[in-house]
Amino acid sequence: MAFDGLFTHAMAKELNDTLAGGRIMKIHQPYANEVFLVVRNNRKNYPVLLSAHPMFARAQISQIKYKNPQTAPNFAMMLRKHLEGAQLLRVEQVENDRILRFVVSGRNEVGDEDRTVLILEMMGRHSNLFLVDEASQKIIDLIKHVPADQNRVRTLMPGAKYVQPPKQDVTNPYDSLQGLANDILDNPDQNDLAKAIQQRFQGFSRDSANELAAVVQQPGDAMDHAQNWLEYFNQTEPELVDTEKGLAYVPFPWLTVTGEVTTFTTLSELLDAYYEGKSERDRVQQQASVVLRVIHNELKKNRTKIKKQQAELAAADHADEYKIKGELLTTYMHDVERGMTEVELPNYYDDNKPLKIQLSNQLSPSQNAQRYFTKYNKLKASVKYLNEQIALAQAEVDYFENLQAQVDLASPKDIEEIKQELIQEGYLRVQKKKQKPQISQPEKFYASDGTLIEVGKNNLQNERLSMKTARRSDIWMHTKDIPGSHVIIHDDDPSEQTLTEGATLAAYFSKARDSANVPVDYLPVRRLRKPNGAKPGFVIFEGQTTMTVTPTYAAVQKLRQKPSEG
């Protein structure tokens, strides 16, 4: 389902139950449209994500790691001034809309109570996060400043009075379901009923309206079904469902969403699992703009080079034609006169069939013959050189296609290491501010029997993992002839199930993530070799065994959890 008003209702309850009464200890703004509040409550810290992203706007407790910028943005500094150390009194929803209010009580410079409200509006590209003085309703600051010429409905700048978005003529379903019975009678078709529900009631996305339409058409009293269904948003059983159309999340089991199910304890854990790929990809794209530009340019340059050199190589295939023409001119030189532009001579290599040969009228017959021999020798000499250059350019293409796949699989914290690799290899200039890059670690997974499995997410991680930290008896895995991660099973004799689970990780963290029957090579680490001068992460090997697996999201998520002992 979408993060609509109904899901906001459920999330507001979860956040309020978990956070109300806690204190805001830290505030970070790692991304342009997203803020993290670290709220301490009941002796536990909760990282609360408030996102005004145009595509992924949401509020949740998020355990996904993030990296803070060296200099905090102005909005984060303003939030720290007013909110750090303050008490979060409550989290509430505005009617059944996609608006959440975080009411906070703190102290100003002179010790008086300073009550402010963080207001998160989750409205697609119009999403925004406001810090508002509760008494005056004046906007202290907001994460997106919107000039008056871009929004004539209300002023979205610091100092203006906060005004809620224009309200639609719809009913909050938690206040009244009046009219639903008439809608059911007037719209027996489920699609028509879903449209009527959306038009009449507040906070319904198309998915939610379709689900309620299906629920009320079940045997029994339709109004009771609707009331019970709404109540489920207060007692959630979160599910992530792998459907035919992709991953979908629901706050409790739905009739209209079917597939392979993964259950979660909280809505926040559910959203972490769902958005881990989607929002991470967006954050990676933002942070990897320089890296992606280098990859794009190098791929384009080397592919163009290969195309041009292959054309030259194809031309060299006709080198013998120049040799034949030179020999014919030498043999029949008495039939060639200076000043001729072409001559037709019998080709004794082809049953004396006449062959027309172009000549330069500025050269003697002997010089014309020599010109053809020179072309022949030049083309023949170029074949070896062209094959070497094509091989070098193809190696560059393979390298950057592998980097491109790593960016697709990377988390934001991995991008800096990929950038450092490009600097080391001379593709990027060294930054003026020399900072010691943080060494990121491979991701850890656990097989069903508890065996540790590590996955490298970029070339530098792959090289450290495979060539330095892994034991020689550990098992190394990688997708066969497909860009992907190095996977190490920390066991010299893993079970068949552990091998399958390791291969599943290798397939999932590769360019073939969405494919079936992905081939994966495996062998002991001691059989790996790194050629002298090879780029980071490049290894050669022999004596491997190959198995095929089909990676799934659910299988990988299961491997993230260490099996309980006893």
Side-chain angles (χ1 to χ4, degrees):
M1 70 176 294
F3 204 117
D4 59 8
L6 291 166
F7 198 92
T8 304
H9 176 96
M11 182 56 75
K13 183 177 186 304
E14 176 175 298
L15 294 178
N16 192 65
D17 290 348
T18 307
L19 305 175
R23 292 204 173 272
I24 300 173
M25 308 304 293
K26 295 180 181 178
I27 298 170
H28 303 294
Q29 189 180 346
Y31 311 108
N33 300 319
E34 297 176 332
V35 166
F36 275 86
L37 310 179
V38 178
V39 180
R40 185 166 183 81
N41 197 24
N42 297 322
R43 292 183 292 181
K44 185 176 180 180
N45 289 339
Y46 296 94
V48 183
L49 168 63
L50 304 181
S51 174
H53 192 282
M55 293 178 61
F56 310 122
R58 65 196 188 281
Q60 63 168 112
I61 296 168
S62 176
Q63 301 298 334
I64 296 177
K65 301 300 180 183
Y66 56 89
K67 183 178 179 181
N68 288 315
Q70 288 189 323
T71 303
N74 291 336
F75 184 65
M77 297 300 290
M78 186 63 73
L79 293 183
R80 290 173 182 176
K81 176 183 176 182
H82 288 270
L83 302 182
E84 274 194 350
Q87 185 178 28
L88 178 59
L89 300 179
R90 62 184 179 276
V91 181
E92 58 192 19
Q93 182 186 20
V94 176
E95 297 185 347
N96 199 47
D97 210 344
R98 293 168 294 169
I99 303 175
L100 286 175
R101 289 167 43 90
F102 295 76
V103 183
V104 179
S105 176
R107 298 284 176 183
N108 58 22
E109 292 85 349
V110 296
D112 295 333
E113 184 180 20
D114 182 20
R115 187 168 291 194
T116 51
V117 186
L118 262 178
I119 303 175
L120 177 62
E121 297 179 356
M122 298 168 283
M123 308 286 183
R125 63 188 181 91
H126 299 296
S127 298
N128 217 327
L129 178 62
F130 302 81
L131 177 64
V132 177
D133 180 80
E134 188 182 48
S136 65
Q137 288 298 294
K138 185 181 75 172
I139 299 173
I140 300 172
D141 204 354
L142 66 168
I143 202 166
K144 298 179 189 176
H145 294 193
V146 182
D149 60 342
Q150 294 183 25
N151 191 322
R152 302 183 184 281
V153 178
R154 54 186 184 145
T155 303
L156 301 178
M157 295 293 285
K161 184 174 182 180
Y162 174 76
V163 178
Q164 288 187 13
K167 186 178 178 181
Q168 297 177 319
D169 186 19
V170 286
T171 301
N172 182 347
Y174 285 95
D175 290 341
S176 172
L177 283 173
Q178 186 176 0
L180 180 59
N182 292 333
D183 288 335
I184 296 171
L185 294 173
D186 295 340
N187 300 281
D189 179 82
Q190 184 172 322
N191 287 330
D192 293 338
L193 177 55
K195 290 179 182 177
I197 290 172
Q198 270 192 293
Q199 293 169 358
R200 181 183 293 271
F201 296 104
Q202 183 184 35
F204 277 83
S205 64
R206 183 64 179 174
D207 292 341
S208 300
N210 279 332
E211 176 66 11
L212 180 56
V215 166
V216 298
Q217 291 178 332
Q218 296 294 298
D221 186 275
M223 295 300 288
D224 284 345
H225 287 330
Q227 198 67 53
N228 292 336
W229 184 79
L230 285 175
E231 189 55 36
Y232 278 131
F233 285 93
N234 292 318
Q235 45 190 14
T236 57
E237 299 174 15
E239 290 185 349
L240 188 64
V241 187
D242 193 353
T243 71
E244 292 181 355
K245 296 181 179 180
L247 287 177
Y249 63 88
V250 289
F252 50 87
W254 278 22
L255 298 173
T256 57
V257 181
T258 58
E260 187 177 356
V261 172
T262 305
T263 60
F264 295 86
T265 305
T266 67
L267 297 174
S268 292
E269 292 174 0
L270 168 70
L271 292 183
D272 263 358
Y274 178 79
Y275 282 109
E276 182 179 23
K278 294 178 180 292
S279 61
E280 288 290 276
R281 292 283 65 74
D282 179 78
R283 291 166 178 170
V284 165
Q285 294 296 313
Q286 290 180 31
Q287 295 193 4
S289 58
V290 175
V291 170
L292 288 170
R293 185 170 66 249
V294 171
I295 292 174
H296 172 77
N297 291 342
E298 290 294 328
L299 283 174
K300 182 179 179 181
K301 180 181 74 177
N302 283 286
R303 285 168 177 164
T304 301
K305 185 177 179 180
I306 290 173
K307 188 176 181 181
K308 180 181 178 182
Q309 290 172 336
Q310 285 176 337
E312 293 176 6
L313 197 59
D317 289 340
H318 302 287
D320 288 341
E321 295 178 9
Y322 294 109
K323 180 183 178 183
I324 291 170
K325 289 178 180 179
E327 291 180 348
L328 292 178
L329 287 172
T330 302
T331 302
Y332 298 104
M333 196 168 292
H334 57 278
D335 293 330
V336 184
E337 297 178 5
R338 190 182 187 100
M340 296 176 67
T341 57
E342 66 178 25
V343 66
E344 197 171 86
L345 300 173
N347 184 1
Y348 45 74
Y349 288 106
D350 190 15
D351 297 329
N352 286 323
K353 291 180 181 178
L355 177 63
K356 188 176 291 187
I357 303 173
Q358 301 297 319
L359 302 172
S360 171
N361 59 6
Q362 302 297 316
L363 302 176
S364 68
S366 176
Q367 289 173 326
N368 270 300
Q370 190 60 43
R371 185 169 67 113
Y372 278 108
F373 284 128
T374 300
K375 285 184 178 180
Y376 165 75
N377 290 328
K378 185 177 179 181
L379 286 174
K380 292 299 288 184
S382 70
V383 170
K384 181 181 179 181
Y385 172 78
L386 287 171
N387 282 325
E388 290 174 350
Q389 291 301 306
I390 289 172
L392 290 173
Q394 186 59 54
E396 288 289 285
V397 168
D398 293 342
Y399 172 68
F400 282 101
E401 283 183 343
N402 186 48
L403 276 186
Q404 193 172 52
Q406 289 177 3
V407 171
D408 290 341
L409 299 170
S411 61
K413 65 179 182 294
D414 298 321
I415 293 301
E416 184 60 33
E417 204 156 47
I418 295 176
K419 189 182 295 184
Q420 290 301 319
E421 178 185 343
L422 289 173
I423 291 173
Q424 290 176 19
E425 295 299 311
Y427 296 104
L428 266 178
R429 292 183 179 180
V430 180
Q431 298 172 345
K432 291 183 179 179
K433 293 181 179 179
K434 293 184 178 180
Q435 300 163 358
K436 188 175 181 181
Q438 293 183 344
I439 299 176
S440 60
Q441 299 299 318
E443 192 166 354
K444 288 180 169 55
F445 296 85
Y446 298 92
S448 300
D449 60 4
T451 301
L452 174 63
I453 304 175
E454 290 191 282
V455 178
K457 303 293 281 297
N458 57 59
N459 286 332
L460 296 181
Q461 280 187 23
N462 287 336
E463 178 142 327
R464 284 196 300 270
L465 177 61
S466 300
M467 307 308 293
K468 295 182 180 179
T469 61
R471 296 177 303 174
R472 289 172 57 80
S473 58
D474 288 342
I475 300 300
W476 179 88
M477 307 188 105
H478 192 282
T479 43
K480 183 178 180 64
D481 301 325
I482 301 170
S485 295
H486 291 203
V487 174
I488 296 292
I489 299 177
H490 291 282
D491 192 338
D492 56 1
D493 186 24
S495 66
E496 285 296 322
Q497 183 174 358
T498 298
L499 282 172
T500 300
E501 291 168 341
T504 298
L505 290 170
Y508 186 81
F509 291 101
S510 79
K511 201 171 183 178
R513 169 180 287 194
D514 299 321
S515 304
N517 299 319
V518 181
V520 177
D521 290 334
Y522 67 93
L523 71 164
V525 169
R526 63 176 172 271
R527 294 185 190 165
L528 296 177
R529 298 289 182 273
K530 178 178 172 63
N532 290 335
K535 295 184 184 297
F538 181 81
V539 294
I540 56 175
F541 52 87
E542 58 184 15
Q544 72 274 20
T545 304
T546 304
M547 64 190 301
T548 58
V549 292
T550 299
T552 64
Y553 173 83
V556 172
Q557 286 300 108
K558 185 178 178 182
L559 297 174
R560 293 183 189 276
Q561 305 298 322
K562 189 173 184 179
S564 57
E565 299 179 358

